[in-house]
Amino acid sequence: MKKFLKKATTSIIGAGLLSAGVLLSSSNVMASGYQVVLQGSRVTAMGNCAVGFRAGAPSLFFNPGAMAMEQNSSIMLGGNIVSSSVQYLGANSTTIEETDSPLSPPFFAYGIYKVNEKLTVGLGVVTPFGSTVTWGNEWSGRYSLNELSLKAFVIQPTVSYKVSEKFGIGVGLDIATGSVSLERNLPIAQAGGDSNVLLEGSATPAIGFNIGAYYEASDKVSLGISYRSKIDLTVEEGDATFTVPQLGPIQAAFQATKFDATLPLPSVISVGVGIKPTDKLQLALEWSMTGWDAYQELKFEYDAPVLGSTETVSDRHYKNSSVFKFGAEYMATESLALRGGIYYDQTAVEDGYITPETPDANTIGYTLGLGYTVGERFTIDVHYLLVDKAERENVAAPNSGGIDGTFEAGANVFGLGLSYKFGGSSKASE
Amino acid sequence: MKLYKKLFSRWTGVTMLATMGLFACQPEIDEPTLTTGSADFTTYVALGNSLTSGYADGALYREGQINSYPEMLAMSMQKLGGAASFSTPLVPEGNGSGGATGKIELTGFNEKGRPMLTPTQNDPSVFASVAAGGPYQNLGVPGARIGNLTQPGYGSAQGNPFYARFAANPDATLAGEAKAQNPTFFTLWIGNNDVLGYATSGGDQGGDVITDPVEFKASMDKIMLELDGASGGAIANIPNILGAPYFKAVAYNAFEFEPEEEALVTALNAGLRANASTGVRPLVEAGVRAEVRSQVVAGAIETIIRPQVLAVVKDTVTARVRAGAIANALSQGATQAQAEAGADAYIASEEGQAVIQSNYDAYILTEEGKAVIQAGIDEALARPSTQALIESQTDQQMQSEAVQAIIETQLSNQLDALLANLTVSVGANPFIIATERSAEFPLGLRPATPDDLILLTASAYLGAEAAAGRPPLLPERFVLDPSEQAKVDAAVAEYNTVLQAAAGAKYAYVDMNGFFNQVLGGYTYQGVNYDARFILGGAFSLDGVHLTQRGYALAGNEFIKAINAKYNSKLPWIDVNNYKGITFP
């Protein structure tokens, strides 16, 4: 009668655990991924446009080609406070549930050094992700997710070369690393509550590159194009902790203590145009496409069998997605800039593949900001971004690990950047 | 000052204010609009059996009742302003009762990985009357068959104690109590017990009967008459009960022995063989004895009787020849004395002997001669003394080593043949079922086949038998063979036809049968997987036949789906994850 429980426990968890970690779902809510641009205050305020005009120090990260156009060495430091929330209404339910996520603080830091007229080098440190989605362990989707916490870090040394007065090219090396923590309940109830699993791990540093070209067609029109390569972030020997009843057959089904997982940080290609109808007004239009096609499934590999198998796979089937952005900056006075913008971000997530950690939908972002320069060297920029994701219904595809219901997500982002210009020209970089 | 002014110019102020205002922007999902459609949920009553009462884990207990599907449906209706007062006749807090014991608990798993299920102590206070707290809207009664719902006296002391404890009066009927409340909406889930009793007691050997479909329809008509006043309702059909873990959990070959139990295996096989031997040996011995005896008889005939008989025949022939010789001599004028002497001399002579011999040889070939010889042999055999001799010779022969060896060989071969598929070995074996002796199963034993269903209670029974030192043979009442299964399946199909017809155009028809089949194949809802496995499937409770709270919630949602489809209502679904599945120790 041993076969009673031998392979048995398999389906009690079944597909649930297969979705066990949407490990690094980088389009998660706000302040993550490449769709939401929080690595520079001015660029955030201008509808997230950053490629087609002289964006200043953040050009290091967004268009290394434009970095060569900088007339001064400078340093910049800044950060954001992101307050995000997701609401969920189960299919056919009347109870609306909501995340209770902590504020997250993505930051950025740049140092640009103008070696000579032609050559500029720089180093940037940014956090493309830095968010936590907290649903808790009592909501109806707790077997899908309790909490997912992602942190990532990119260090980018960059070199940029001014080929001519109008044309610059640049390349940077992206060194990315990160960590993840994911927790969800397992539907094996004990007297004290549900069982759960906690997966935690750090990614080994991985390399990518970032290239860009910038061309000033005239005084009024500039063009930029940039490409950031895909980076596969791999967590090796992450810790898997299963809290399950102390019963022989059940413990035997959860023997793993370590896991490996890989997540692609997709490539991004951006094309931007800058237009200056007047000296005081800078307009920017931009299109980006993120290669989410690279994320078709999420696979976990365990060091010992979990529910009879050492690997669990859940489908993702993401598709490439585009963002269309528009931004404007108006110099109200010589020192004060007023900024605003709007963008439309297509979702990468196909119908049926929404999960509690990536409740993604088509998004509209509204941005506002201002910048004030003191004494021509020191600038303070502040920005605000409202991320409005459409309400979206999910009928979970088999093996996706998601749940049925309607999701709506949104975020408020408030932040600032401080920069200081050294030597060189006395005019503020435009 | 200048700096301050620049920083906080009116532009800046306005922008910041706008920003803080926007900061309050949060996503907001539109609340769904609920409606009752064309249904009226003002007064809701639920009729049914144990599934309706919330019975689970082998007992009716308070926590199960509070989380019964009618209570869940009522909560859903209350969100639409209906079912304002919905009450279930609750038992006191505690282990509840299934009649003999309280609810079953999972206390753990033994070293072999088998679940250890322990019934708790019975709580007789379950049957104390709560009639005074009525009228009740949850009229589910464990054990109720369709005919019971309109049977006066079912709630009396001679009826069903699960009803007697809350019946309005001893002559009340469940359908009548429903009608008396003027329900605007009802749910009815009945008919399982009409076939379940037969199935769970092992079929034909169990002593329970399947309700005749004609009676079933008549009873259903009576119920519909009582409920005619309700403008809406939902009638659920009967699932394929044989898919429940009670019937499926124990595989036909779950009769397993570990390598360490080799001794048990040998002992069992030896025991079976010894047992079979006691029955078969006499038959073998009788057969061998018959063979031996016929050989002894043949031998006796050849060595003793026939020669004796032939001698007599020869004497007869000799006498005839002598008589002929005497007659001859007399005819030639000899005296009697001379004739006799002459005849004696003649028959003693060579010539005489030759004549006698040839006469004899001819005679024994004639029909008459053969008949005489045979008669002689038969007569000799029939003599008691001869029989006695034959018997004693046979007895002697039987005792000889050679014959004993033959007996043992034949016995062994016979046993080998009979026990061919009744021999157990280490690993999985089909259960050995004690059945009626027949030409097909001369030992009164048969191996279980993959088409047999073994009841959940078989394991406990075999354990008890083993503990008592008796061989682990399974009586037929723990097995549902294909013919019994066919009867169950046929009954379910026929009942469902009646139920669907009764729902007709007026009431919603809930296809529980279809839904259970889905669950059997694996069903996921809100991130939890369900199937029909015992304990681990999450849908069936510890008695293998009733549902867990989550199982009842899923069933409740099936009711809601059908009701919403029929009456264009939007009853909110039950949040299944708010309820319990199996709780592990």
Side-chain angles (χ1 to χ4, degrees), chain B residues 105-261:
Chain B
E105 282 181 344
L106 178 65
T107 47
F109 294 88
N110 65 13
E111 338 70 55
K112 293 190 187 182
R114 294 182 218 174
M116 302 191 296
L117 299 167
T118 319
T120 54
Q121 193 164 43
N122 192 32
D123 180 5
S125 73
V126 159
F127 299 104
S129 176
V130 293
Y136 296 103
Q137 289 72 49
N138 184 343
L139 299 168
V141 172
R145 298 164 81 115
I146 194 169
N148 300 136
L149 295 191
T150 47
Q151 179 195 342
Y154 190 58
S156 71
Q158 293 76 39
N160 183 338
F162 285 106
Y163 179 34
R165 57 178 287 270
F166 72 86
N169 60 68
D171 295 317
T173 67
L174 287 160
E177 285 204 50
K179 177 183 174 148
Q181 302 187 48
N182 291 318
T184 57
F185 199 89
F186 71 89
T187 56
L188 174 65
W189 195 7
I190 194 74
N192 299 276
N193 287 327
D194 292 83
V195 74
L196 192 67
Y198 171 85
T200 54
S201 61
D204 295 325
Q205 300 80 21
D208 204 325
V209 289
I210 300 181
T211 304
D212 177 70
V214 173
E215 264 181 56
F216 190 93
K217 177 169 192 316
S219 301
M220 189 64 184
D221 290 340
K222 280 196 223 168
I223 298 170
M224 286 293 103
L225 208 57
E226 296 287 285
L227 295 172
D228 205 37
S231 61
I235 299 175
N237 66 10
I238 300 163
N240 288 325
I241 59 168
L242 296 180
Y246 193 84
F247 305 101
K248 283 278 165 73
V250 183
Y252 84 99
N253 61 354
F255 192 36
E256 286 187 16
F257 293 93
E258 301 294 311
E260 313 83 68
E261 295 173 304

Side-chain angles (χ1 to χ4, degrees), chain A residues 1-5 7-16 81 83-98 103 138-144 184 187-191 194 245-250 332 335-336 338 368-370 372 374 380 382-384 386 389 391 402-404 406-414, chain B residues 2-3 6-7 9 11-13 15-16 18-32 34 79 106-115 249-251 253-258 428 431 456 459 462 524-531 533-538 550 564 570-575 577-579 581-585:
Chain A
M1 321 264 181
K2 200 178 201 176
K3 51 162 82 173
F4 227 100
L5 274 167
K7 60 150 188 187
T9 358
T10 317
S11 297
I12 193 179
I13 313 301
I81 293 177
S83 162
S84 65
S85 80
V86 188
Q87 284 202 336
Y88 168 74
L89 176 65
N92 301 293
S93 172
T94 50
T95 316
I96 296 179
E97 295 165 294
E98 198 168 344
L103 302 173
E138 287 176 6
W139 76 297
S140 54
R142 61 191 180 276
Y143 303 111
S144 196
R184 59 189 272 279
I188 305 178
Q190 310 179 64
D194 276 325
Q246 302 284 328
L247 300 168
I250 294 182
S335 328
L336 181 65
L338 302 177
L368 280 179
L370 57 90
Y372 187 76
V374 181
I380 171 167
V382 293
H383 63 269
Y384 170 72
L386 170 68
K389 287 190 186 282
E391 192 175 299
I403 50 179
D404 290 354
T406 305
F407 288 88
E408 188 171 352
N412 293 282
V413 183
F414 191 69
Chain B
K2 230 177 165 191
L3 175 62
K6 279 191 177 167
L7 277 173
S9 76
W11 275 115
T12 325
T15 317
M16 284 197 156
T19 307
M20 306 231 215
L22 285 170
F23 217 113
C25 263
Q26 298 291 340
E28 263 183 50
I29 294 185
D30 301 319
E31 288 223 17
L34 305 176
K79 292 188 186 154
L106 178 65
T107 47
F109 294 88
N110 65 13
E111 338 70 55
K112 293 190 187 182
R114 294 182 218 174
V250 183
N253 61 354
F255 192 36
E256 286 187 16
F257 293 93
E258 301 294 311
F431 283 97
L456 190 63
S459 324
L462 288 180
T524 307
Y525 187 72
Q526 292 184 319
V528 181
N529 283 8
Y530 300 92
D531 58 45
R533 278 174 308 145
F534 188 44
I535 296 178
L536 301 165
R550 281 191 183 162
N564 283 350
K570 266 190 154 331
L571 275 171
W573 287 28
I574 300 161
D575 192 347
N577 284 353
N578 278 353
Y579 297 94
I582 299 275
T583 306
F584 290 85

Side-chain angles (χ1 to χ4, degrees), chain B residues 292-303 305 381 387 390 394:
Chain B
V292 167
R293 192 176 189 284
S294 69
Q295 282 185 15
V296 165
V297 165
I301 292 175
E302 286 317 301
T303 55
I305 298 176
L381 279 177
Q387 288 295 315
I390 290 172
T394 310

Side-chain angles (χ1 to χ4, degrees), chain B residues 124-478:
Chain B
S125 73
V126 159
F127 299 104
S129 176
V130 293
Y136 296 103
Q137 289 72 49
N138 184 343
L139 299 168
V141 172
R145 298 164 81 115
I146 194 169
N148 300 136
L149 295 191
T150 47
Q151 179 195 342
Y154 190 58
S156 71
Q158 293 76 39
N160 183 338
F162 285 106
Y163 179 34
R165 57 178 287 270
F166 72 86
N169 60 68
D171 295 317
T173 67
L174 287 160
E177 285 204 50
K179 177 183 174 148
Q181 302 187 48
N182 291 318
T184 57
F185 199 89
F186 71 89
T187 56
L188 174 65
W189 195 7
I190 194 74
N192 299 276
N193 287 327
D194 292 83
V195 74
L196 192 67
Y198 171 85
T200 54
S201 61
D204 295 325
Q205 300 80 21
D208 204 325
V209 289
I210 300 181
T211 304
D212 177 70
V214 173
E215 264 181 56
F216 190 93
K217 177 169 192 316
S219 301
M220 189 64 184
D221 290 340
K222 280 196 223 168
I223 298 170
M224 286 293 103
L225 208 57
E226 296 287 285
L227 295 172
D228 205 37
S231 61
I235 299 175
N237 66 10
I238 300 163
N240 288 325
I241 59 168
L242 296 180
Y246 193 84
F247 305 101
K248 283 278 165 73
V250 183
Y252 84 99
N253 61 354
F255 192 36
E256 286 187 16
F257 293 93
E258 301 294 311
E260 313 83 68
E261 295 173 304
E262 182 93 48
L264 275 178
V265 169
T266 321
L268 179 58
N269 284 332
L272 284 173
R273 200 178 178 87
N275 237 12
S277 183
T278 26
V280 175
R281 178 176 289 276
L283 296 172
V284 168
E285 283 182 349
V288 171
R289 190 190 170 77
E291 187 61 38
V292 167
R293 192 176 189 284
S294 69
Q295 282 185 15
V296 165
V297 165
I301 292 175
E302 286 317 301
T303 55
I304 302 173
I305 298 176
R306 185 182 287 272
Q308 280 182 357
V309 167
L310 288 177
V312 166
V313 168
K314 197 147 194 209
D315 284 348
T316 312
V317 170
T318 308
R320 279 203 204 141
V321 170
R322 184 172 181 277
I326 292 174
N328 218 17
L330 284 177
S331 72
Q332 291 185 353
T335 62
Q336 186 68 29
Q338 284 173 320
E340 285 184 12
D344 288 336
Y346 177 66
I347 60 177
S349 71
E350 261 190 56
E351 192 199 336
Q353 285 293 311
V355 167
I356 291 170
Q357 188 62 45
S358 79
N359 282 4
Y360 168 79
D361 288 342
Y363 182 64
I364 63 175
L365 291 174
T366 65
E367 291 300 319
E368 189 203 325
K370 287 183 194 167
V372 163
I373 293 170
Q374 191 58 47
I377 293 174
D378 292 343
E379 191 260 318
L381 279 177
R383 277 183 238 144
S385 54
T386 321
Q387 288 295 315
L389 214 61
I390 290 172
E391 288 306 313
S392 75
Q393 268 277 15
T394 310
D395 289 341
Q396 236 186 347
Q397 288 270 30
M398 288 291 282
Q399 297 310 315
S400 73
E401 266 189 50
V403 172
Q404 285 296 312
I406 291 172
I407 290 174
E408 290 310 316
T409 312
Q410 280 205 10
L411 179 64
S412 182
N413 290 345
Q414 280 256 43
L415 287 176
D416 285 344
L418 289 170
L419 291 170
N421 48 13
L422 291 171
T423 309
V424 303
S425 50
V426 167
N429 300 279
F431 283 97
I432 298 178
I433 300 169
T435 185
E436 267 182 43
R437 273 180 209 274
S438 65
E440 203 188 343
F441 306 117
L443 292 177
L445 296 174
R446 70 174 180 93
T449 69
D451 296 325
D452 284 313
L453 291 178
I454 313 288
L455 304 189
L456 190 63
T457 41
S459 324
Y461 172 83
L462 288 180
E465 288 293 286
R470 290 189 286 269
L473 305 173
L474 203 56
E476 278 281 8
R477 68 177 190 280
F478 288 96

